Amino acid sequence: MPLSSEVIENVINEIDCIADPSSKRYGYLLNWQNPFDPFWHYGIGLSDTHIFDTGRGLCPFERKEAKFVIGIDPIAFEPKQTIERLKHAPRLNR
């Protein structure tokens, strides 16, 4: 289902408020597993405490336990560019 303009703007504002360029997780692809869940989940680090859910949620959420995805450094964007692209992505879901 497409996101409304209001929802898109709220998501972008939330990213701007939470994003911390001094965080070692900022702009990096992270993964984690939930308890009793055999599946890996992926998102983009925004700060030491928040991740952007690249799955169904398409929103930031609090999660401190996550690992860096290994082996993608040669194809990854710089962290700042990743966050800028992330802020543009919700607009594509219209």
Side-chain angles (χ1 to χ4, degrees):
M1 174 178 226
L3 301 175
S4 71
S5 295
E6 183 179 342
V7 169
I8 291 169
E9 291 309 311
N10 287 341
V11 168
I12 293 168
N13 288 338
E14 206 172 352
I15 291 170
D16 285 337
C17 288
I18 294 171
D20 177 8
S22 68
S23 169
K24 64 182 179 181
R25 297 179 359 163
Y26 176 81
Y28 284 94
L29 183 62
L30 305 173
N31 65 1
W32 65 94
Q33 282 183 300
N34 294 323
F36 310 109
D37 182 356
F39 302 103
W40 284 100
H41 301 276
Y42 294 85
I44 304 297
L46 297 174
S47 69
D48 291 340
T49 58
H50 285 79
I51 298 171
F52 186 87
D53 181 3
T54 56
R56 291 185 174 183
L58 290 177
C59 63
F61 70 100
E62 188 170 346
R63 178 154 193 122
K64 295 178 184 172
E65 299 81 28
K67 298 178 183 180
F68 290 95
V69 175
I70 299 171
I72 65 156
D73 290 342
I75 62 169
F77 294 108
E78 291 296 317
K80 182 176 171 121
Q81 186 179 9
T82 299
I83 298 299
E84 289 306 313
R85 291 173 64 96
L86 178 63
K87 289 168 34 178
H88 181 69
R91 292 184 178 103
L92 301 176
N93 192 18
R94 289 178 131 182

